[in-house]
Amino acid sequence: MKVNGVPVDPPDAAARLIDYLRDDLGLIGAKEGCGMGECGSCTVLMNGSPVCSCLVLVGQVGDGEVTTVEGVASGATGRAVQEAFVRRQAVQCGFCVAGMVVSASALMAEHPAPTDEQMRAGLEGNLCRCTGYGAIARAVREATR
């Protein structure tokens, strides 16, 4: 498999993807919030689609590609999303931000100018307990410009 474009050879196919990313590779951007795929804090891209890494086993990735927030942030879209989150004050505790940035980047790859409905659908798997969603929606809209 590849992680952020770099080939890796995970030692344990039965390990959860989030544990492998954080513990073995030191990619700590994805956070484990609920461990049940409900909060979205651990969202990464698997072959371009957002998934909760707490629910994916390393072996399920196979020869695929995983992109973490660190990988997303190295691209223009990811940087634009992160900068818009800061400018629009869509970050408070920061726990959900990595998942939001990954999901928003995937949304923008599919819909460069998403409608409000597409934005809600693209971010629906990510929960934020601090900001409410107004600032987040404004940040994503700004990043699409």
Side-chain angles (χ1 to χ4, degrees):
M1 69 189 264
K2 288 185 179 181
V3 176
N4 297 333
V6 177
V8 295
D9 189 18
D12 183 6
R16 294 184 317 157
L17 183 57
I18 189 170
D19 296 328
Y20 176 65
L21 294 171
R22 291 179 61 82
D23 299 342
D24 294 352
L25 299 182
L27 298 169
I28 60 171
K31 310 284 189 283
E32 183 168 4
C34 67
M36 298 182 296
E38 296 292 327
C39 72
S41 295
C42 67
T43 302
V44 299
L45 300 179
M46 187 168 92
N47 301 320
S49 297
V51 298
C52 291
S53 61
C54 70
L55 298 179
V56 176
L57 298 179
V58 170
Q60 291 175 282
V61 179
D63 292 332
E65 172 90 24
V66 172
T67 307
T68 66
V69 69
E70 291 91 348
V72 166
S74 69
T77 300
R79 274 194 309 279
V81 173
Q82 285 182 320
E83 291 167 4
F85 266 62
V86 171
R87 276 192 304 276
R88 292 297 181 168
Q89 299 177 352
V91 177
Q92 285 190 15
C93 83
F95 208 79
C96 70
V97 173
M100 291 279 189
V101 168
V102 169
S103 293
S105 297
L107 167 69
M108 291 167 58
E110 186 174 345
H111 303 286
T115 65
D116 288 347
E117 185 176 312
Q118 290 168 330
M119 188 178 358
R120 279 191 293 278
L123 298 176
E124 72 183 351
N126 299 86
L127 301 178
C128 177
R129 294 188 171 119
C130 298
T131 64
Y133 297 94
I136 292 167
R138 287 188 292 277
V140 174
R141 276 191 209 99
E142 180 178 314
T144 63
R145 293 185 198 124

